[in-house]
Amino acid sequence: SCSQNKWNEKCPNIFKLAKSSVLAANALRQLMRYYGPGRGKARHSLLAIVESSFSFGQLSTTTTTDHHDSAQSLATISIIAALSLSTNTSTGDQSQDDDHLKVSRASASGLLPKGRYQNPRRVTMENNSSNNNDSSIAAVFDDTPKKSEGNAFGIGAMIALLEIAATATALDNDDSPITVDLHIVSSLARSFPLARSTALDTACGTVICQFLEISSSRNNGNDDGNDDSNNYNRASTTIIDRKIATTAFGLAAEIGPWTAMSCIPLIDLSNEMQLWHAAERICVSYLQSSESCSRDKANMAVQTLLDGAFEERMYRRADAIATEFYEFGGRARYVEARFMHACTTISKAVQKRQCRLLDRQVERVDKAIAKVQNDNDDVAFINNDDDDDLSEAKRKVREFALTRLREANQHEQAHRLATLWNMEYWYDSEEAEKYVQARRDKYLQWEEAFKPLQPEENNNAGSISIPDVLSNPTDLLHAFATLESTINPKMPVIGFDVEWGDDDEESPKKNDAKKGGGAALLQLSTARMAILIDIPALGRSRDGCEALANTVGCIFRGNTARQQNKVKLLGFSCRQDLSRLGNSPCASSSLGGNNNQHWFPQGRTSAVVDIKPLISIDNAQLRNLGLSRICDYYLGKPLDKSEQCSMWQERPLSQSQRVYAALDAWACVAIYEKLSFRSFLTNSGGSTRSM
């Protein structure tokens, strides 16, 4: 700020202000250590120190109330800036460094009226009115930037702090004499109303890209018309610390540097790291920035946010996002999100025999369809893989409910609902068989996929038997060895897929939901054989973890006992599958007592290839289709997705569930064989997308 002309006459006093701020910041830290981080005595004492530590008359002889409030805001900003700075004199005592960071953040949080982030959805009227009784310092932090002088000072202070942070990051922190806590900078941005500033956006964008290791070529948020928002480049493949990422995402959400960078890579990366709330805050921040937010970019931001929820199969969250951002691109997948959420709820309701909930879920889907139709949107209903008109959604959700009731033998409830919906429901076994046969003719069946290659493999069954779920370590080792023997040496690939339960379900694993939860089932398949692995059952025992490490862990690291060439693991849109496997249970004593060692390789692995981008290269028209319709294109029949929303954490699994799971993994291998440039990928390995 001293470099600006309007501050030149006040530079000596600002220097005094800076020195006083450093002394006050040290006093605040000592006070916070004494009282603790509570908002009682500590907060009042903090405010008292600020009131008494500065002589506001030094800045000017003016005694007006406006200038007094402006002086107070300058003093407060200066103290917060001092709290965010720390000299890089670490003695190696991590607990001491953490304590210094903790008391600095607590001091800033107590000093600023909005120092603590509050979810707007949870703020009550009582909380909103409580700030009215705050001290005079809170009065200058209102919703409208009235004080242009203090506003400029705040912008200048934050630009300076961000430039220091950028320099420290470029020097790898160890060589920098000063470090900046961006968490406190975010609190300052949240509490003090700031006018839009290109310089601030540029400084903030530079720091965020450095912290998240995003290449500068992807930072320009003004590249209109370029459809590369989802193809940003990470500067390295290292895993970003979640605390660092959370701080960077929070800073982006508060400042909103969208004139200097795009929000798409941040939303995508926060989805990848399963920081769902951060992704939503960034999207909201972008939508509120009128300077840089266009309709097309808003739609792309919301679609990226929805993609993360759909890939994770968090359909309740997808429904909430599509509803909240309906006017900003959510309407394109509004019915799909509502439909999938209804299907998961219907599956749980039928299992718990709470059939009264089915009417309500069907009604919610009907209302969503009516809303879109009334808005005159020409939007196709997309149930993951089927591309039908919106009018078909009503029939599909009702058929889904009746199918679930039929499988649960709740025929009385099914007949009641069918009559209510003016649909047919068959008690007659012959009519029911016709219905089943019609579905068999339409969708890919087990015997069509796993045909015996040799007559002696027939075993009088006509096809390979449907696999059981492997929950015993001995059975897993034996089945895995057999699976390896069926790998084609000319094309050493194995297809894989993962199923998981509902994270919102009340269960002992509820705490794992924040990390995305673990896998309920892992499917591995070659062209001739498939196995189904019970991850929760094996991961809870020492022997089970050892068996998983020696089988699943080995192939995902690219090591196999029978193959000289490394085996490629083929998945379809498999980022969330890998995340679920990494978050699956692992007995800590199974691998020599090392709590940090997991049976599944952590981080990225070159053994995994996502075939979805390869399919879009082979045929660009297939880039937005799901696995079922892609199977229809390459293999002649789609996959039956009726079991997608079933209860995968329950045991035993039904035969239809086991068939569905195995075919999902087999389809990756079968489709890969059909790709026109498959031989080039197998030989070079250079064009595959590793995860």
Side-chain angles (χ1 to χ4, degrees):
S1 298
C2 293
S3 63
Q4 302 180 23
N5 293 330
K6 63 180 179 180
W7 294 109
N8 284 341
E9 297 178 359
K10 303 177 183 179
C11 283
N13 290 321
I14 290 181
F15 183 71
K16 293 179 182 179
L17 177 67
K19 292 176 61 177
S20 300
S21 299
V22 173
L23 295 176
N26 291 332
L28 294 178
R29 293 188 184 101
Q30 295 297 328
L31 189 67
M32 188 58 66
R33 287 190 179 95
Y34 180 78
Y35 282 114
R39 293 177 60 87
K41 289 185 177 180
R43 178 172 173 79
H44 293 300
S45 300
L46 292 174
L47 298 176
I49 287 179
V50 176
E51 295 277 358
S52 60
S53 296
F54 293 90
S55 176
F56 298 115
Q58 293 179 358
L59 293 176
S60 175
T61 57
T62 306
T63 58
T64 62
T65 303
D66 287 345
H67 186 79
H68 184 267
D69 289 343
S70 178
Q72 284 186 311
S73 66
L74 301 186
T76 305
I77 292 172
S78 184
I79 294 177
I80 297 301
L83 286 170
S84 67
L85 296 171
S86 61
T87 56
N88 194 7
T89 57
S90 176
T91 59
D93 188 353
Q94 185 64 36
S95 60
Q96 184 176 355
D97 296 338
D98 292 342
D99 178 69
H100 179 83
L101 188 67
K102 185 183 300 183
V103 296
S104 296
R105 291 182 177 181
S107 300
S109 176
L111 183 62
L112 294 172
K114 300 179 183 178
R116 296 177 183 270
Y117 173 77
Q118 291 182 314
N119 191 333
R121 297 175 180 174
R122 300 179 181 178
V123 175
T124 62
M125 294 300 296
E126 181 179 355
N127 291 335
N128 290 332
S129 61
S130 63
N131 288 334
N132 296 333
N133 298 326
D134 219 335
S135 70
S136 58
I137 291 181
V140 301
F141 294 99
D142 53 12
D143 295 332
T144 306
K146 299 177 182 178
K147 316 295 188 300
S148 60
E149 185 180 35
N151 203 289
F153 184 84
I155 293 175
M158 280 199 287
I159 291 175
L161 292 173
L162 292 172
E163 289 176 348
I164 295 173
T167 303
T169 305
L171 294 176
D172 200 15
N173 282 326
D174 293 336
D175 298 330
S176 175
I178 298 177
T179 57
V180 180
D181 185 1
L182 296 183
H183 181 85
I184 297 180
V185 179
S186 299
S187 299
L188 179 61
R190 179 165 53 248
S191 297
F192 191 77
L194 298 174
R196 302 308 309 169
S197 168
T198 303
L200 179 60
D201 288 357
T202 302
C204 181
T206 301
V207 171
I208 291 172
C209 290
Q210 287 183 351
F211 271 61
L212 300 179
E213 301 178 5
I214 299 176
S215 63
S216 58
S217 61
R218 183 59 198 94
N219 296 344
N220 191 348
N222 299 320
D223 293 338
D224 297 329
N226 293 337
D227 189 19
D228 62 344
S229 298
N230 293 323
N231 297 323
Y232 69 95
N233 295 319
R234 287 282 311 284
S236 69
T237 58
T238 57
I239 300 177
I240 301 176
D241 184 82
R242 288 177 66 88
K243 293 182 179 179
I244 294 177
T246 302
T247 301
F249 293 144
L251 182 67
E254 295 301 339
I255 295 180
W258 313 129
T259 59
M261 68 178 299
S262 171
C263 69
I264 304 300
L266 300 186
I267 297 175
D268 195 40
L269 184 57
S270 56
N271 281 336
E272 181 179 347
M273 301 184 69
Q274 299 174 352
L275 298 172
W276 316 120
H277 184 56
E280 191 168 344
R281 285 186 62 197
I282 292 171
C283 186
V284 171
S285 174
Y286 178 73
L287 296 178
Q288 292 176 346
S289 61
S290 57
E291 297 89 347
S292 58
C293 181
S294 65
R295 173 63 63 176
D296 292 340
K297 291 182 179 180
N299 290 344
M300 189 177 298
V302 174
Q303 290 303 316
T304 304
L305 190 64
L306 281 168
D307 287 342
F310 275 103
E311 287 183 12
E312 189 70 17
R313 301 182 196 174
M314 300 173 67
Y315 299 124
R316 177 183 294 182
R317 180 171 181 265
D319 190 2
I321 292 172
T323 302
E324 181 177 359
F325 302 112
Y326 179 80
E327 298 297 333
F328 298 95
R331 68 181 65 185
R333 305 181 74 178
Y334 179 58
V335 175
E336 178 188 7
R338 181 63 56 84
F339 179 88
M340 299 305 294
H341 183 198
C343 287
T344 55
T345 305
I346 288 172
S347 296
K348 291 186 289 185
V350 171
Q351 185 188 40
K352 297 177 180 180
R353 295 187 176 274
Q354 298 175 345
C355 297
R356 64 183 183 278
L357 298 178
L358 272 61
D359 306 66
R360 188 183 308 169
Q361 294 303 316
V362 171
E363 182 182 2
R364 292 183 75 245
V365 175
D366 291 346
K367 289 181 178 180
I369 296 171
K371 179 178 178 62
V372 173
Q373 290 177 334
N374 291 337
D375 290 342
N376 296 322
D377 287 300
D378 186 16
V379 181
F381 169 67
I382 304 173
N383 174 18
N384 198 43
D385 304 299
D386 299 320
D387 189 6
D388 301 323
D389 294 331
L390 279 171
S391 58
E392 291 296 305
K394 294 184 178 181
R395 177 184 59 81
K396 285 180 175 291
V397 70
R398 287 164 170 78
E399 285 185 350
F400 181 87
L402 295 178
T403 300
R404 284 287 174 262
L405 290 170
R406 179 184 289 108
E407 293 173 350
N409 292 322
Q410 299 183 37
H411 300 295
E412 183 178 351
Q413 291 290 345
H415 187 268
R416 179 185 69 82
L417 291 176
T419 303
L420 178 66
W421 296 332
N422 195 24
M423 298 178 66
E424 295 183 356
Y425 184 79
W426 303 286
Y427 280 106
D428 185 86
S429 59
E430 294 183 1
E431 293 294 331
E433 183 61 30
K434 291 181 181 179
Y435 172 79
V436 173
Q437 186 60 43
R439 293 189 64 86
R440 291 178 60 86
D441 295 338
K442 179 179 179 180
Y443 295 106
L444 186 68
Q445 300 301 310
W446 173 266
E447 57 272 13
E448 296 173 327
F450 293 92
K451 298 178 181 178
L453 300 182
Q454 302 296 335
E456 57 270 16
E457 294 180 5
N458 194 359
N459 296 328
N460 298 323
S463 65
I464 300 174
S465 60
I466 299 172
D468 293 323
V469 178
L470 303 172
S471 57
N472 182 279
T474 303
D475 295 339
L476 172 60
L477 294 173
H478 176 74
F480 188 81
T482 307
L483 179 72
E484 281 190 308
S485 67
T486 63
I487 297 177
N488 185 353
K490 297 181 180 179
M491 190 184 66
V493 294
I494 294 178
F496 81 97
D497 189 45
V498 176
E499 307 296 340
W500 55 82
D502 187 356
D503 292 336
D504 295 323
E505 184 75 15
E506 302 236 352
S507 67
K509 300 180 186 178
K510 189 172 180 64
N511 291 333
D512 294 336
K514 294 181 179 180
K515 300 187 297 183
L521 188 73
L522 169 63
Q523 309 97 267
L524 300 175
S525 177
T526 63
R528 300 175 57 192
M529 177 185 178
I531 62 175
L532 309 177
I533 303 174
D534 191 340
I535 297 296
L538 292 166
R540 286 192 290 264
S541 68
R542 174 192 177 100
D543 294 339
C545 283
E546 289 179 349
L548 287 171
N550 294 329
T551 55
V552 177
C554 283
I555 62 168
F556 275 91
R557 291 184 180 92
N559 303 323
T560 55
R562 297 174 179 267
Q563 299 294 325
Q564 294 180 352
N565 298 328
K566 286 189 176 181
V567 174
K568 292 291 184 182
L569 276 299
L570 307 177
F572 182 85
S573 189
C574 54
R575 185 176 67 185
Q576 298 300 337
D577 294 344
L578 299 176
S579 176
R580 291 282 176 166
L581 290 173
N583 291 334
S584 296
C586 178
S588 59
S589 61
S590 61
L591 301 173
N594 188 348
N595 293 329
N596 295 324
Q597 195 169 5
H598 196 279
W599 56 264
F600 187 77
Q602 303 299 303
R604 301 190 177 192
T605 171
S606 60
V608 176
V609 176
D610 191 342
I611 67 171
K612 187 172 183 179
L614 307 182
I615 293 169
S616 63
I617 295 174
D618 189 55
N619 188 334
Q621 296 180 351
L622 305 178
R623 62 183 303 178
N624 295 323
L625 300 185
L627 184 59
S628 179
R629 293 194 63 199
I630 290 175
C631 280
D632 192 13
Y633 176 82
Y634 283 106
L635 308 178
K637 280 189 176 183
L639 292 175
D640 188 351
K641 288 289 186 177
S642 61
E643 293 291 345
Q644 183 178 23
C645 297
S646 58
M647 309 297 290
W648 292 104
Q649 68 272 28
E650 300 296 330
R651 298 292 183 269
L653 296 180
S654 65
Q655 176 175 306
S656 59
Q657 284 179 301
R658 289 182 284 128
V659 169
Y660 165 85
L663 287 179
D664 263 10
W666 172 86
C668 294
V669 178
I671 293 172
Y672 187 76
E673 292 179 345
K674 300 289 185 178
L675 295 178
S676 59
F677 55 100
R678 170 182 52 80
S679 59
F680 170 75
L681 294 174
T682 305
N683 295 331
S684 66
S687 299
T688 58
R689 176 185 175 184
S690 60
M691 302 297 290

